Amino acid sequence: MSQLFITQLNPPLQPRAGNTLRVLIMTRISTEGQDEQSLDDQAALCRSYVKRHYNAPIKFDVIQHRESGERRQRKDLTRARQMIEAGDVDVIVTEDMARIMRHITGSMEFLDACQDHDTRLISINDQVDTATESKLMSFFSSLRHEMYNADTSKRIKRSLDNRFTQGGTLSCQTYGYIKDTGAKTEDGLHKDPAAQAVYDHWFKMLEDGASYSEVADWLNDKHVPTGPISRRNTWDCKMVSRITHNPILKGVRQRGRRITRRLNRTGKHYTVKAPREHLKERHCPHLAFIEPERYDRVITMLDAKNSKYRRGKHGRDPMAGRTKKRTTWPGQSVRCGVCGRPFVWGGHGRTEHLMCSGAKDYHCWNGLSFDGRLAAKKIADAVLNAVQALPDFEPGFRALVEQELAGLTGTIDQQKRELQHKRKDIDARMQNILHFVEKAGESESSVSRQQELMAQKAQIDLELTRLDRAALTRPVLPGIDEIKRMARDLFQNLAVNDPSFARKLRRLIPDIRLLPVRCITGGHALLRARFELRLARLFEGVELLDKVDEHLTLSLNVDLFDPPQPVKLREAVLNFEQRTSPVGKPYTKRQIAEALGVSQPVVQLAVKLHRAMERLGTKDPYEVLAEPPAGSNKMRRHKHPRYRFQPLPGHTLTATGGVTGDADAA
């Protein structure tokens, strides 16, 4: 009887090696609301199918996942691809192609990967088998599943739209509304009497010119709850703005203000503003906290007041479609030396300036900002000057480095063997977990452990790839002239808008700290950049040697400002003071000022600065500020009622300008 079953498949199931057939079963459900037992039902169907067509030993691996089938970047797909590429599976069996993916392009890419690595894919209900000429069938199956998804989405939206017109489809509750138990329509939604006075004062503050932040502070001081569905326990500016613009406060419910679109590259959905014809409204006077006329007047006033801060005022939003992780250098590369937080674009209302994010949230007193493009140019000039001044390597140093580089191949091989051993150990642990899940069922702890092991394996794979790349070319210590040439090529053509330039700079300069400084004789606070330039990272493999990395690491201080006149002219004034005039007498302050084309007070301040530097025994005309300067007209962030100094854990700024703390703590 079993032989009859075997002959039903043409060609029959065959293992690559030995007599044991290695089968990967892929099951999936979309949401938490679906029956979890469906995963086991799918796996049971696939096991039964394989056993009917193969009567020799079988080794089953089961991947169970719960996520939308439109997502192309899922953990179950990544794991399946790794098994396919490693040759750890002979055949993949699934109930239908939708269990793998509801995305035509993604499904076909997965099927191509199976064919490229001689892995058979069988979709039972779709009658797809890659061992036969059925690729066209798999395409139509994937198309059919994606069309079912789209049709289901349309039916759900149609039903929800109709129920909204009848008073149903209650949206998430905001503060001030009480929903009766089991309520399905707006008749079961009521106002909280205690919220009436809160909203009256809320809008009164806005009418008097208060900002959203001031309203948030008032709500927090009064311990007003944030609402039944809020994940936050305190109010903030965004939350106040969002609720203020919710027309339910004037008794109007809305639906269809936004619609979802799928990003085909990843399969994820995101929301965008819907066309005007999608908007549906229902008037519910019993839900109004604010009179409609007053509400419309306040919203119009707020929109006019804040219009100057809106993006895309003159056309398309310049940030539309751009990931938040991409930014112009030095964005995402500089951190505050006081609190440790990153500097972000938009300091003091100027888009080209950067400011400490902690100061924006009143958690840091360093409220200084700087011009990002000017800073990029100053840092590039300082780096070029430092590189051009590098002395050549000593002959003994070069010979020692060349000897270590020659033995680096053995070190790389040893590291690879250790990593491969760790990888095999992780694979064995994952197999043990899968066997446990197959017998006892999946649990939260087993899923968590699987994810942890997969993350460790991915990190090991990245490190192995790096070592393989380093082993292909034997690293050679370049000469100083070559290092200078590459630095010139990188920094002279300063393309700060190019993401590749930012990646290279973050590799050479991993951490830039900005310290507030001030002239030792007084004046305004300014910003100074302090960083280490790792020139060895210009060359693949050379940075693996600590002594080379140390030798080619330069510690630099760069002032992100134009120096004031007393600092700029100090040496010139000193030269005049050390000389005698044509009449044989020392130059007076007035004569020096006339010769330099500046005012006499500037010369006096330059002399005062020089004497202060001599008295302190320093060559640096600036001092690092370890605390807010007293009497400053610009640095007053710490005097605001909302200010609470909260540096990142372990971050400390010493009086000498030293900084402790992890750069990645933010």
Side-chain angles (χ1 to χ4, degrees):
M1 182 65 69
S2 60
Q3 182 66 27
L4 177 62
F5 288 143
I6 296 174
T7 57
Q8 287 181 354
L9 278 183
N10 186 23
L13 295 174
Q14 291 182 349
R16 295 182 183 178
N19 196 33
T20 301
L21 183 69
R22 298 171 298 175
V23 179
L24 174 63
I25 297 175
M26 298 187 65
T27 66
R28 184 190 61 81
I29 57 177
S30 298
T31 64
E32 296 288 340
Q34 291 179 304
D35 187 1
E36 186 177 2
Q37 191 175 355
S38 173
L39 296 172
D40 296 330
D41 296 338
Q42 296 174 40
L45 172 66
C46 296
R47 283 195 184 93
S48 175
Y49 179 88
V50 175
K51 290 178 180 179
R52 288 201 312 269
H53 297 88
Y54 191 78
N55 65 347
I58 304 173
K59 177 187 175 184
F60 287 105
D61 285 324
V62 181
I63 294 181
Q64 296 183 337
H65 199 68
R66 183 181 298 174
E67 194 174 357
S68 171
E70 294 183 271
R71 297 287 183 90
R72 300 180 64 178
Q73 299 173 349
R74 304 197 317 259
K75 293 181 179 179
D76 60 326
L77 294 176
T78 301
R79 183 183 163 203
R81 282 181 178 272
Q82 291 175 346
M83 296 179 68
I84 292 171
E85 294 171 359
D88 295 337
V89 58
D90 298 322
V91 59
I92 297 177
V93 182
T94 185
E95 182 181 29
D96 54 58
M97 293 298 293
R99 300 308 100 201
I100 297 177
M101 195 174 298
R102 289 183 182 271
H103 193 293
I104 298 177
T105 306
S107 297
M108 301 311 295
E109 288 179 354
F110 188 85
L111 185 140
D112 289 341
C114 292
Q115 291 183 329
D116 290 343
H117 294 85
D118 296 326
T119 301
R120 189 170 181 176
L121 172 64
I122 297 177
S123 175
I124 300 174
N125 294 345
D126 296 323
Q127 299 181 355
V128 171
D129 188 347
T130 56
T132 63
E133 296 296 330
S134 60
K135 189 169 184 179
L136 185 62
M137 179 68 73
S138 65
F139 172 81
F140 283 114
S141 299
S142 301
L143 176 63
R144 176 167 55 89
H145 291 302
E146 187 164 0
M147 291 176 62
Y148 286 165
N149 232 24
D151 292 341
T152 302
S153 175
K154 291 178 182 178
R155 287 196 299 270
I156 292 174
K157 291 176 181 177
R158 172 258 297 160
S159 300
L160 293 177
D161 286 345
N162 181 63
R163 293 170 190 175
F164 176 82
T165 60
Q166 299 175 4
T169 317
L170 298 181
S171 58
C172 298
Q173 297 167 249
T174 57
Y175 163 74
Y177 292 96
I178 301 174
K179 179 182 176 182
D180 294 341
T181 303
K184 299 294 185 182
T185 65
E186 62 202 23
D187 294 335
L189 200 60
H190 309 284
K191 294 191 300 181
D192 183 357
Q196 183 64 59
V198 173
Y199 276 117
D200 284 338
H201 188 77
W202 180 329
F203 272 68
K204 178 66 167 57
M205 292 180 66
L206 294 175
E207 288 171 332
D208 294 339
S211 65
Y212 296 135
S213 296
E214 291 177 85
V215 176
D217 290 342
W218 177 80
L219 293 170
N220 290 327
D221 291 340
K222 295 298 181 182
H223 303 290
V224 177
T226 54
I229 55 93
S230 177
R231 291 189 292 266
R232 292 177 57 94
N233 296 323
T234 57
W235 295 85
D236 62 7
C237 174
K238 294 180 181 179
M239 191 182 303
V240 171
S241 173
R242 184 170 59 249
I243 294 181
T244 300
H245 285 80
N246 191 340
I248 197 173
L249 297 182
K250 68 173 182 177
V252 176
R253 294 181 58 218
Q254 288 186 342
R255 174 175 172 78
R257 296 179 65 177
R258 302 186 71 83
I259 57 176
T260 59
R261 287 183 181 172
R262 189 179 76 179
L263 183 63
N264 289 315
R265 179 171 54 85
T266 63
K268 293 184 178 181
H269 287 77
Y270 62 100
T271 64
V272 296
K273 289 185 178 180
R276 181 65 185 176
E277 58 268 18
H278 283 240
L279 181 64
K280 296 177 175 58
E281 293 184 343
R282 277 186 60 83
H283 293 273
C284 311
H286 71 288
L287 299 179
F289 279 106
I290 307 298
E291 296 82 2
E293 296 79 8
R294 181 188 180 193
Y295 178 88
D296 293 336
R297 183 179 68 254
V298 172
I299 294 299
T300 302
M301 178 194 70
L302 293 173
D303 290 344
K305 174 183 175 181
N306 298 319
S307 61
K308 59 183 178 181
Y309 305 113
R310 186 176 296 118
R311 296 192 323 218
K313 298 186 290 292
H314 307 294
R316 185 178 180 272
D317 183 358
M319 297 297 291
R322 281 186 56 183
T323 172
K324 294 181 180 179
K325 293 186 178 180
R326 288 186 59 182
T327 183
T328 302
W329 195 83
Q332 296 181 349
S333 298
V334 291
R335 294 186 179 276
C336 177
V338 175
C339 70
R341 291 180 175 85
F343 270 63
V344 294
W345 291 97
H348 296 127
R350 292 176 288 185
T351 56
E352 70 278 5
H353 280 230
L354 288 94
M355 181 179 180
C356 173
S357 58
K360 283 195 170 188
D361 295 332
Y362 296 95
H363 295 323
C364 179
W365 54 264
N366 184 15
L368 300 174
S369 63
F370 68 94
D371 188 326
R373 294 186 178 274
L374 176 63
K377 184 178 185 306
K378 285 184 173 294
I379 291 176
D381 292 342
V383 168
L384 280 175
N385 293 334
V387 171
Q388 297 307 316
L390 277 175
D392 201 353
F393 295 120
E394 297 179 1
F397 177 82
R398 173 174 287 278
L400 184 61
V401 171
E402 293 292 346
Q403 182 180 357
E404 289 199 17
L405 288 175
L408 192 60
T409 304
T411 304
I412 293 177
D413 292 340
Q414 176 64 24
Q415 292 177 352
K416 288 176 62 176
R417 285 193 295 269
E418 293 176 357
L419 290 173
Q420 289 168 351
H421 179 74
K422 292 180 180 179
R423 194 179 190 277
K424 290 181 179 179
D425 182 58
I426 291 176
D427 288 337
R429 294 184 187 181
M430 293 180 66
Q431 290 296 329
N432 292 337
I433 293 176
L434 290 175
H435 292 323
F436 173 80
V437 170
E438 186 175 350
K439 294 179 180 179
E442 193 175 57
S443 63
E444 184 176 348
S445 61
S446 65
V447 173
S448 176
R449 184 57 179 160
Q450 277 183 300
Q451 293 174 348
E452 180 182 345
L453 292 174
M454 290 177 65
Q456 294 177 8
K457 185 176 179 180
Q459 186 64 34
I460 290 175
D461 290 340
L462 288 175
E463 185 65 16
L464 284 171
T465 302
R466 186 185 69 84
L467 292 175
D468 287 338
R469 189 168 60 250
L472 291 177
T473 57
R474 180 176 177 268
V476 177
L477 179 64
I480 288 295
D481 293 338
E482 176 66 11
I483 294 175
K484 293 179 179 180
R485 184 193 65 77
M486 293 193 67
R488 284 196 302 269
D489 293 343
L490 179 62
F491 286 96
Q492 281 183 344
N493 301 321
L494 191 64
V496 293
N497 292 321
D498 187 358
S500 62
F501 173 81
R503 287 194 297 271
K504 293 177 182 177
L505 260 292
R506 292 191 186 101
R507 178 172 169 80
L508 298 180
I509 309 175
D511 184 31
I512 302 177
R513 296 294 175 128
L514 299 188
L515 305 173
V517 298
R518 184 172 62 175
C519 186
I520 58 178
T521 56
H524 294 305
L526 304 164
L527 283 175
R528 167 179 288 177
R530 179 172 294 178
F531 58 90
E532 287 187 343
L533 176 66
R534 315 289 287 274
L535 289 173
R537 299 185 178 184
L538 282 170
F539 304 92
E540 187 73 30
V542 175
E543 80 278 5
L544 297 176
L545 297 182
D546 293 336
K547 60 178 61 180
V548 178
D549 193 29
E550 181 180 354
H551 191 83
L552 293 179
T553 296
L554 305 177
S555 297
L556 299 177
N557 290 325
V558 180
D559 295 332
L560 305 183
F561 54 87
D562 294 325
Q565 282 187 322
V567 177
K568 186 186 301 184
L569 300 176
R570 182 182 63 85
E571 293 184 358
V573 171
L574 182 62
N575 290 335
F576 270 101
E577 281 202 328
Q578 293 174 348
R579 294 158 46 194
T580 57
S581 65
V583 297
K585 295 182 179 180
Y587 280 97
T588 65
K589 303 292 190 299
R590 186 181 299 276
Q591 290 174 329
I592 297 175
E594 290 177 355
L596 296 177
V598 296
S599 63
Q600 184 174 337
V602 171
V603 176
Q604 294 172 339
L605 289 174
V607 173
K608 179 181 178 181
L609 172 62
H610 178 70
R611 291 174 181 170
M613 292 173 61
E614 285 185 331
R615 184 174 64 256
L616 296 174
T618 179
K619 296 182 180 180
D620 188 356
Y622 302 100
E623 60 180 353
V624 176
L625 297 175
E627 58 184 15
S632 174
N633 294 327
K634 290 191 174 182
M635 298 188 69
R636 301 172 57 88
R637 208 76 177 176
H638 57 288
K639 296 185 178 182
H640 196 282
R642 301 180 65 194
Y643 174 76
R644 299 289 186 277
F645 183 54
Q646 297 177 1
L648 293 181
H651 184 92
T652 305
L653 174 65
T654 64
T656 59
V659 176
T660 62
D662 186 2
D664 298 327

